Amino acid sequence: MSLPKTGMCLVCGTETRNRCSSCSKAGLDLFFCSPEHQKFVWPVHRYFCGPGKANSWIWPALSPNEVEAALEILHTSLGPYTDGRWNTKTLAEGLKAMSGGIEQPDAILKGYVEPVNEPDAIDSAIAYMTRHFHHALLHSFEPPSTKPSPDMSPLLTITDIANPLEISVDAGGWRTPFLHQVSVIAAGLHSRAPPPDYNDKLRQHVLPSLVKLLQATLLPEDSEKARDTLLRLIQFAEERLNLTL
């Protein structure tokens, strides 16, 4: 496969020849104009970098610590709320529904702990759902914040972004480049020292790039889904980033 000579930096849009070498091996070109910009995104990108992770986007398997934490909240209710995606109040209900009601939730969690040699779509979905419920239980009663809590991992941060955009579990096709671009937003929310003029970079490059990607890939395929995702992106930008598209 011939690779393009140049591309736009994922963070700022500067034309560059520098790309992530590991992701290139996965057949995906992600460009960074400088080591500083690549280092800035790395806390998030490292989970989705290289063959088997980057293309298609795969949510990492749960770590032993994540499984232990999830088992403690397995039957904890979201209270008056239900999860918007699966319409369930507990992680146990969500996991059982995902398995068609066959497997016990604790067995599902213990069965998908890392290391998973080649995580598949089911592994990815279970990991995503578990992290989403973990985040929801920690933060569902709080107003939206422009910064994550100090104890939120980069994975929880990008999970928190992916869910309202509804681009989370099935992350193939157009969702893969979309989520890699979203990782810049997650890195900024998670970072204590984002690059100078970071909000300008979001406004001038990152968010417009997401819109262009939707227009080029999803709009011809599913115009209703494209419009819905665009509206969600606009709402997210306004509520979480204080930016107007």
Side-chain angles (χ1 to χ4, degrees), residues 174-186:
W174 65 272
R175 294 172 179 84
T176 286
F178 196 94
L179 282 165
H180 280 292
Q181 188 70 73
V182 166
S183 68
V184 178
I185 301 175

Side-chain angles (χ1 to χ4, degrees), residues 111-149:
Y112 287 98
V113 66
E114 69 176 3
V116 176
N117 292 329
E118 295 183 5
D120 59 18
I122 295 177
D123 301 324
S124 189
I126 287 173
Y128 172 82
M129 175 185 281
T130 301
R131 292 188 185 105
H132 166 64
F133 266 91
H134 184 194
H135 174 269
L137 285 168
L138 287 174
H139 304 284
S140 61
F141 301 104
E142 300 176 3
S145 171
T146 57
K147 296 292 289 183
S149 64

Side-chain angles (χ1 to χ4, degrees), residues 9-26:
C9 174
L10 204 65
V11 176
C12 68
T14 299
E15 189 172 2
T16 179
R17 296 178 184 273
N18 302 320
R19 61 172 64 87
C20 175
S21 58
S22 292
C23 288
S24 291
K25 295 175 183 177

Side-chain angles (χ1 to χ4, degrees), residues 8-243:
M8 291 193 302
C9 174
L10 204 65
V11 176
C12 68
T14 299
E15 189 172 2
T16 179
R17 296 178 184 273
N18 302 320
R19 61 172 64 87
C20 175
S21 58
S22 292
C23 288
S24 291
K25 295 175 183 177
L28 181 70
D29 287 317
L30 297 178
F31 291 89
F32 297 95
C33 69
S34 66
E36 289 75 18
H37 280 179
Q38 189 166 11
K39 183 178 179 181
F40 163 65
V41 179
W42 182 245
V44 179
H45 180 62
R46 70 187 183 93
Y47 294 103
F48 309 98
C49 180
K53 297 186 288 185
N55 189 25
S56 296
W57 176 286
I58 292 290
W59 296 96
L62 298 168
S63 70
N65 287 341
E66 286 180 307
V67 170
E68 183 178 350
L71 289 171
E72 292 179 0
I73 64 166
L74 195 57
H75 300 284
T76 304
S77 174
L78 289 175
Y81 302 95
T82 57
D83 175 78
R85 176 65 61 83
W86 295 280
N87 196 31
T88 54
K89 286 183 176 292
T90 68
L91 176 58
E93 291 175 1
L95 291 172
K96 196 162 186 177
M98 183 177 287
S99 72
I102 298 174
E103 296 188 59
Q104 292 301 313
D106 57 343
I108 293 173
L109 282 176
K110 293 174 182 177
Y112 287 98
V113 66
E114 69 176 3
V116 176
N117 292 329
E118 295 183 5
D120 59 18
I122 295 177
D123 301 324
S124 189
I126 287 173
Y128 172 82
M129 175 185 281
T130 301
R131 292 188 185 105
H132 166 64
F133 266 91
H134 184 194
H135 174 269
L137 285 168
L138 287 174
H139 304 284
S140 61
F141 301 104
E142 300 176 3
S145 171
T146 57
K147 296 292 289 183
S149 64
D151 62 340
M152 190 183 296
S153 71
L155 277 175
L156 278 185
T157 302
I158 195 164
T159 298
D160 179 39
I161 298 172
N163 190 63
L165 296 178
E166 293 196 357
I167 51 170
S168 48
V169 175
D170 178 13
W174 65 272
R175 294 172 179 84
T176 286
F178 196 94
L179 282 165
H180 280 292
Q181 188 70 73
V182 166
S183 68
V184 178
I185 301 175
L189 289 175
H190 193 268
S191 174
R192 294 184 179 180
D197 304 323
Y198 174 67
N199 282 345
D200 290 338
K201 292 177 173 63
L202 288 181
R203 185 184 299 107
Q204 296 168 7
H205 169 64
V206 176
L207 292 172
S209 293
L210 291 171
V211 173
K212 290 178 182 177
L213 182 60
L214 289 175
Q215 292 172 334
T217 59
L218 183 58
L219 186 61
E221 173 186 315
D222 188 339
S223 59
E224 184 176 349
K225 175 66 175 176
R227 285 192 295 268
D228 180 64
T229 304
L230 178 58
L231 289 174
R232 291 177 181 276
L233 179 62
I234 291 171
Q235 183 179 9
F236 176 84
E238 291 176 348
E239 293 181 354
R240 295 294 304 278
L241 305 176
N242 295 321
L243 295 174

